[in-house]
C-alpha cells in the first residue's frame, strides 16, 4: 500500500500512527500545537517508536515539539505544510541535552514544507543528531536566520530546499538570511561528515554558510541568486 493511502485504521497491529490520532486537524485554521506535542510525547514514550505520518494538510502551530527521537520515523503523506506562527525556531530537531541516532524526518521524494514569518528564528534547527535523514523544504523563516541551521550533526543525510522559486515564493515575504548554516555546538563539537544531497538554495542573502564545520559534502544542487555569497566558508 502506498504511503499516501495509509491510515492507522486501515492497518491493524502495524506500527504506524497519524498525527490526526492525537487531535491534529491540518486545515490551516485550527491551532494544532497541543496535538503535535502529544504526538511527539507519544513517540518519546515508546521503546520502539512507530512511524508517525502527517496526512496532507496545513498544520498551524505556535510552538514546535522536538521531533528528533532515536529510531523514530516522521514522514509526510502528500503535500504537508508545517505553518509556524511563533517567534522561535519553526521546526526543532534535537536538544543539546543528549544525542539522537537513526532518526528520519521527511523523505527525499516527499519533503516537509516549512512556512514561518520573518519574526520567527530558523526554519529548521538541528542539534545533536547523528546517523539520520532530514528532508525539508523551507519556504520562509526569520529575516536574520537560516532556512536550515545545523548546530551539531554527524554522519547525517540532508535533503534541503530553501528557495523563493517554489510555488508562491517566500511565505509572507519571509526571506531567510542564510539558506544553510552549519556550526558547532561547542569547541570540538562541530557539524561533521554530513552529506547535503542536491541542496536547492536560491535568493537568500548567503547560500551556504559554513562555520566550525568539518568534512561535510555537498553533492549537486545549487546556491544561486544570493545577494552576498553563494558559498561562505569561515573558521
Amino acid at each position: 500500500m502506498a504511503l499516501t493511502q495509509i491510515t492507522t485504521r486501515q492497518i491493524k497491529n502495524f506500527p504506524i500512527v497519524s498525527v490526526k490520532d492525537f487531535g491534529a486537524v491540518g486545515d490551516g485554521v485550527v491551532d494544532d500545537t497541543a496535538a503535535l506535542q502529544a504526538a511527539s510525547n507519544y513517540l518519546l514514550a515508546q521503546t520502539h517508536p512507530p512511524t508517525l505520518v502527517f496526512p496532507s494538510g496545513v498544520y498551524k502551530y505556535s510552538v514546535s515539539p522536538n521531533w528528533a527521537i532515536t529510531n523514530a520515523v516522521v514522514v509526510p503523506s502528500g503535500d504537508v505544510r508545517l505553518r509556524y506562527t511563533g517567534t522561535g525556531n519553526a521546526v526543532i530537531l534535537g536538544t543539546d541535552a543528549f544525542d539522537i541516532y537513526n532518526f528520519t524526518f521527511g523523505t527525499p521524494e516527499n519533503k516537509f514544507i516549512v512556512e514561518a514569518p520573518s519574526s520567527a528564528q530558523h526554519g529548521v534547527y538541528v542539534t545533536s543528531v547523528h546517523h539520520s535523514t532530514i528532508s525539508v523544504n523551507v519556504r520562509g523563516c526569520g529575516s536574520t536566520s537560516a532556512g536550515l541551521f545545523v548546530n551539531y550533526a554527524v554522519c547525517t543525510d540532508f535533503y534541503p530546499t530553501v528557495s523563493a522559486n517554489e510555488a508562491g515564493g517566500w511565505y509572507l515575504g519571509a526571506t531567510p538570511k542564510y539558506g544553510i548554516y552549519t556550526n558547532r555546538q561547542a569547541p570540538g563539537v562541530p557539524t561533521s561528515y554530513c552529506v547535503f544531497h542536491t541542496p536547492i538554495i536560491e535568493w537568500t542573502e548567503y547560500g551556504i554558510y559554513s562555520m566550525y564545520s568539518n568534512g561535510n559534502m555537498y553533492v549537486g544542487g545549487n546556491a544561486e541568486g544570493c545577494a552576498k555569497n553563494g558559498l561562505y566558508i569561515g573558521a
Side-chain angles (χ1 to χ4, degrees):
M1 180 178 290
L3 181 60
T4 54
Q5 298 173 297
I6 289 176
T7 69
T8 310
R9 295 174 179 80
Q10 286 175 318
I11 300 178
K12 303 297 183 182
N13 302 318
F14 194 80
I16 292 177
V17 295
S18 165
V19 291
K20 294 197 173 184
D21 294 332
F22 301 91
V25 177
D27 65 354
V29 177
V30 173
D31 189 326
D32 287 323
T33 302
L36 299 187
Q37 185 62 61
S40 173
N41 291 345
Y42 176 80
L43 292 183
L44 185 61
Q46 307 307 305
T47 303
H48 302 289
T51 295
L52 177 67
V53 175
F54 278 71
S56 295
V58 179
Y59 295 86
K60 178 183 174 182
Y61 63 103
S62 59
V63 179
S64 174
N66 174 15
W67 292 112
I69 297 166
T70 291
N71 296 325
V73 176
V74 181
V75 291
S77 176
D79 188 277
V80 173
R81 296 171 184 264
L82 302 178
R83 182 167 293 171
Y84 180 68
T85 61
T87 58
N89 296 311
V91 173
I92 297 174
L93 304 178
T95 170
D96 292 343
F98 50 85
D99 292 335
I100 297 297
Y101 291 84
N102 302 315
F103 165 67
T104 297
F105 189 78
T107 69
E109 301 79 18
N110 198 5
K111 302 177 180 183
F112 277 106
I113 298 170
V114 180
E115 300 175 337
S118 58
S119 55
Q121 296 179 13
H122 303 300
V124 179
Y125 177 86
V126 180
T127 190
S128 302
V129 171
H130 311 285
H131 315 170
S132 297
T133 299
I134 296 170
S135 186
V136 291
N137 182 339
V138 179
R139 299 278 179 85
C141 69
S143 58
T144 61
S145 300
L148 172 62
F149 186 91
V150 187
N151 190 48
Y152 171 42
V154 178
C155 294
T156 289
D157 290 287
F158 292 92
Y159 297 82
T161 296
V162 184
S163 174
N165 289 339
E166 297 289 311
W170 297 119
Y171 173 69
L172 299 179
T175 307
K177 183 172 184 177
Y178 310 95
I180 300 171
Y181 193 128
T182 60
N183 203 8
R184 63 181 180 181
Q185 187 184 85
V189 189
T191 295
S192 53
Y193 304 107
C194 295
V195 180
F196 295 82
H197 300 267
T198 320
I200 301 173
I201 313 299
E202 297 165 328
W203 304 106
T204 56
E205 187 172 336
Y206 294 91
I208 297 168
Y209 199 92
S210 177
M211 293 291 291
Y212 302 108
S213 304
N214 183 39
N216 299 300
M217 295 178 62
Y218 294 83
V219 182
N222 66 343
E224 65 177 0
C226 303
K228 289 193 175 177
N229 298 106
L231 172 64
Y232 178 91
I233 301 175

